[in-house]
Amino acid sequence: MSDKLKIRLSIANRVYPLTITPSQEEGLRKAAKNIESMIKQFERSYSVQDKQDVLAMCALQFASQVEQKSIDKENVNEHVEQKLNALNSLLKDHLNS
């Protein structure tokens, strides 16, 4: 069993203590850094001062990125499946001739 690690992440001027596995640390720190960066960007671009509004905008941005990647992956998978079916058909035709 892996040792647990206690870290503290600061997001939107609040500190969140977390107990994690060491393998999670890099991802969580990068995520917190990305959130902080996005908060600053939204505050500059839209003159938003309410942290709840900014955090909601960040959540929407990140969620939409995840959903778009899922949609893109489905499209790629469909395309690959079509190509594999076409290739399989060509191989069958070649082997049967």
Side-chain angles (χ1 to χ4, degrees), residues 37-83:
S37 175
M38 192 174 286
I39 287 171
K40 288 177 184 168
Q41 179 184 350
F42 280 131
E43 287 175 337
R44 279 192 311 268
S45 298
Y46 301 106
S47 299
V48 181
Q49 298 302 316
D50 185 348
K51 291 291 184 194
Q52 184 172 345
D53 290 339
V54 174
L55 288 170
M57 293 167 71
C58 288
L60 179 61
Q61 182 77 17
F62 284 118
S64 68
Q65 289 172 0
V66 168
E67 291 303 322
Q68 189 60 51
K69 285 181 182 179
S70 177
I71 291 167
D72 293 346
K73 183 178 178 183
E74 284 178 30
N75 290 339
V76 166
N77 286 346
E78 284 180 25
H79 182 71
V80 168
E81 185 176 352
Q82 290 171 356
K83 294 289 186 182

